[in-house]
Amino acid sequence: VAAAQANFMRVVVPEDSGTGVELLCVVKAVLKKIKRRVLVGDKVLVGSIDWVDRRGMIENVFQRSSQILDPPMANVDHFLVLFSLDQPRLEPFSLTRFLVEAESTGIPVTLALNKAELVDEETLVGWRTRLRSWGYEPLFCSVNSKSGLDTLAFILRNQTTVIVGPSGVGKSSLINALRSNHGAYDAAGGDNWFDPIMGSKWLEEQRVGEVSTRSGRGKHTTRHVSLLPLSGGGYLADTPGFNQPSLMKVTKQSLAQTFPEIRNMLIRNEPVKCSFNDCLHLGEPGCIVKSDWERYPYYFQLLDEIRIREEFQLRTF
Ligand code: GDP
Ligand code: ZN
């Protein structure tokens, strides 16, 4: 399932050559009755196919290898957290929030830093050293000067990847640089790709959804997720409107596991463990997690934010 909107799903039937044929599908009533929701990324069984009008009906959903909530998607293999080195400047706490949100799914995370051509070599080396101490090996790229794009394409090949990051870092630009130009998609890319089934109507609605999300008006604006085929095989999910990590799935207890620094300290000390099973690593007696690492204050701050949210939820429900 490459995209979902209202009662329609766009399903790609893969082909050995090119990106495959697209079918516009409805969901069989029985699936709705048993509340089996079809998500973007789902592998589905399609019946009643009309190859002329390219329509069909989703009759069943295959078992998922993963499922994420924000954005709602199935079978995601990989997260690509994209930030820029400048314009906007790389903000470590904001980056940490995105990394924590992605790590909380348990799905592998790659960190890429765009607009590399805007900064000097010394700055790149500085960030590399710093981010290695966080437990990440950053991939520098520049859509403008086309550097690092081959490496990225290689990393993303044959996987379903969700790209996340704040607005303005170059997510759309990167998607356009990496997406496949054949099959059902128009080579122009961007907002004006031709949709053989929905025509311009689909695109109009999609654009309206994005605009109202950006202006932040109302809570019920539509946020669309769609999978775009990559030229090297695999898919990249564009997630307009999901550029604010909610951390809703992260709990006080699970937060530590989203920091590679803590994970590594715990592994290094095995088989010795913290004295308390539910240790939050805040200097409890017998805690084996030290506090001498750069992001410790961020861990502390996020823990506090989650504590306040959890207490609020307890009082409300
Ligand atoms: P998004 O909000 O993350 O989707 O970001 P966009 O793809 O819309 O890009 C935001 C701005 O950054 C646009 O003006 C792009 O032209 C620009 N941009 C994208 N990649 C690069 C890059 O590698 N270098 C520079 N200097 N600008 C870039
Ligand atoms: Zn501890």
Side-chain angles (χ1 to χ4, degrees):
V1 176
Q5 186 168 23
N7 292 320
F8 293 102
M9 306 275 156
R10 296 195 303 144
V11 179
V12 177
V13 184
E15 277 180 344
D16 289 342
S17 58
T19 43
V21 176
E22 267 195 21
L23 300 174
L24 184 66
C25 296
V26 289
V27 179
K28 200 171 182 173
V30 66
L31 288 182
K32 288 182 193 156
K33 209 172 281 171
I34 60 171
K35 298 215 162 61
R36 180 82 73 89
R37 199 176 158 204
V38 183
L39 300 175
V40 170
D42 260 327
K43 293 184 168 64
V44 291
L45 182 71
V46 177
S48 315
I49 299 178
D50 174 345
W51 289 105
V52 178
D53 285 341
R54 294 203 203 163
R55 288 181 179 259
M57 181 186 282
I58 295 176
E59 297 181 343
N60 216 337
V61 182
F62 290 103
Q63 196 168 1
R64 294 166 180 156
S65 63
S66 69
Q67 186 181 334
I68 59 172
L69 280 180
D70 203 8
M73 278 186 67
N75 301 314
V76 174
D77 301 310
H78 188 191
F79 269 98
L80 179 66
V81 176
L82 187 73
F83 268 65
S84 58
L85 288 144
D86 204 358
Q87 298 176 19
R89 271 175 51 194
L90 215 173
E91 211 283 295
F93 185 60
S94 166
L95 174 57
T96 295
R97 295 188 70 100
F98 275 93
L99 289 171
V100 164
E101 178 95 329
E103 294 274 1
S104 73
T105 62
I107 294 165
V109 177
T110 296
L111 170 60
L113 302 178
N114 189 30
K115 311 198 188 184
E117 93 286 357
L118 293 179
V119 298
D120 56 21
E121 187 62 27
E122 202 180 324
T123 309
L124 293 183
V125 172
W127 276 114
R128 170 159 283 139
T129 309
R130 195 168 166 187
L131 294 167
R132 276 183 181 166
S133 82
W134 294 16
Y136 294 94
E137 184 62 43
L139 212 144
F140 299 121
C141 65
S142 165
V143 177
N144 277 21
S145 64
K146 296 192 165 54
S147 68
L149 298 185
D150 288 347
T151 312
L152 263 174
F154 184 75
I155 289 174
L156 305 187
R157 78 198 181 288
N158 296 329
Q159 299 197 38
T160 297
T161 303
V162 174
I163 183 166
V164 294
S167 64
V169 299
K171 293 184 299 300
S172 318
S173 312
L174 182 67
I175 290 168
N176 285 332
L178 296 178
R179 70 192 292 174
S180 164
N181 285 332
H182 45 73
Y185 302 88
D186 176 26
D191 284 342
N192 45 19
W193 50 296
F194 172 69
D195 190 304
I197 302 165
M198 297 293 279
S200 58
K201 185 168 170 283
W202 171 279
L203 295 169
E204 249 164 51
E205 287 171 18
Q206 180 142 339
R207 240 179 262 132
V208 170
E210 281 177 43
V211 168
S212 41
T213 309
R214 277 193 196 134
S215 65
R217 241 179 276 125
K219 279 186 179 156
H220 302 284
T221 49
T222 343
R223 302 189 296 176
H224 294 283
V225 184
S226 45
L227 287 178
L228 305 169
L230 297 172
S231 47
Y235 294 92
L236 193 53
D238 190 12
T239 58
F242 290 92
N243 47 21
Q244 205 55 53
S246 68
L247 307 184
M248 285 308 276
K249 281 264 281 186
V250 190
T251 64
K252 281 202 303 258
Q253 284 301 326
S254 70
L255 182 66
Q257 283 298 322
T258 68
F259 280 81
E261 301 96 317
I262 300 183
R263 286 203 303 256
N264 292 338
M265 269 187 257
L266 293 173
I267 290 168
R268 247 183 270 129
N269 274 290
E270 269 174 4
V272 179
K273 291 184 161 59
C274 295
S275 299
F276 299 113
N277 269 338
D278 56 354
C279 187
L280 290 176
H281 320 302
L282 296 170
E284 293 95 327
C287 176
I288 58 173
V289 174
K290 300 194 203 83
S291 57
D292 59 348
W293 41 289
E294 187 198 342
R295 295 201 298 166
Y296 184 71
Y298 296 164
Y299 171 68
F300 199 89
Q301 190 172 336
L302 289 175
L303 202 58
D304 214 40
E305 183 182 316
I306 293 164
R307 184 182 54 79
I308 290 165
R309 189 201 68 213
E310 284 180 357
E311 279 169 14
F312 177 77
Q313 282 169 335
L314 271 180
R315 262 187 287 133
T316 322
F317 305 111

